[in-house]
């Protein structure tokens, strides 16, 4: 899945279509990134990843903050989280996100 969805060509295509990417560095090492785009007045958080060994240090919060600051006109933030990703669900709940629905999602050839 990583090679098919997160390859350089797909990421470049997302950037060209208006997705913004942010990276988190710890010393000289990349430890996380996120991406977002605006559509119909809604800020969509597309990705937010932090290496497991540095989770819990505020890096995810900083990445989320960078996204919010980059889209000051948006009044609503939405995202999709895999139903089995309980740690991500806990993180977003701590950031005051509220689950509003459960949807089937397809990423490439993969259904969740």
């Amino acid at each position: 899945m990583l090679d098919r969805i997160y390859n350089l060509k797909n990421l470049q295509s997302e950037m060209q279509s208006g997705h913004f990417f942010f990276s988190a560095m710890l010393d000289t090492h990349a430890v996380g990134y996120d991406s977002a785009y605006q559509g119909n007045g809604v800020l969509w958080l597309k990705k937010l990843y932090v290496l497991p060994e540095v989770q819990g240090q505020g890096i995810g919060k900083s990445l989320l903050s960078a996204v919010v600051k980059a889209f000051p006109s948006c009044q609503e933030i939405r995202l999709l989280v895999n139903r089995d990703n309980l740690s991500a669900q806990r993180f977003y709940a701590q950031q005051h996100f509220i689950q509003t629905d459960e949807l089937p999602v397809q990423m490439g050839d993969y259904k969740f």
Side-chain angles (χ1 to χ4, degrees), residues 31-74:
V31 295
Y33 83 101
D34 63 355
S35 75
Y37 65 95
Q38 183 176 344
N40 298 324
V42 174
L43 172 57
W44 282 95
L45 182 63
K46 180 79 174 187
K47 303 169 180 67
L48 194 158
Y49 297 104
V50 176
L51 291 174
E53 59 267 24
V54 295
Q55 290 178 2
Q57 298 181 27
I59 296 167
K61 289 178 190 178
S62 294
L63 286 167
L64 187 56
S65 177
V67 165
V68 171
K69 287 178 185 175
F71 296 90
S73 66
C74 285

Side-chain angles (χ1 to χ4, degrees), residues 17-30:
S17 67
H19 290 238
F20 286 73
F21 285 77
F22 304 85
S23 62
M25 304 294 290
L26 194 56
D27 297 322
T28 59
H29 304 288

Side-chain angles (χ1 to χ4, degrees), residues 82-96:
N82 186 306
R83 73 172 68 100
D84 297 327
N85 192 341
L86 300 180
S87 64
Q89 291 175 31
R90 280 190 297 274
F91 170 78
Y92 291 118
Q94 291 169 349
Q95 308 315 307
H96 308 290

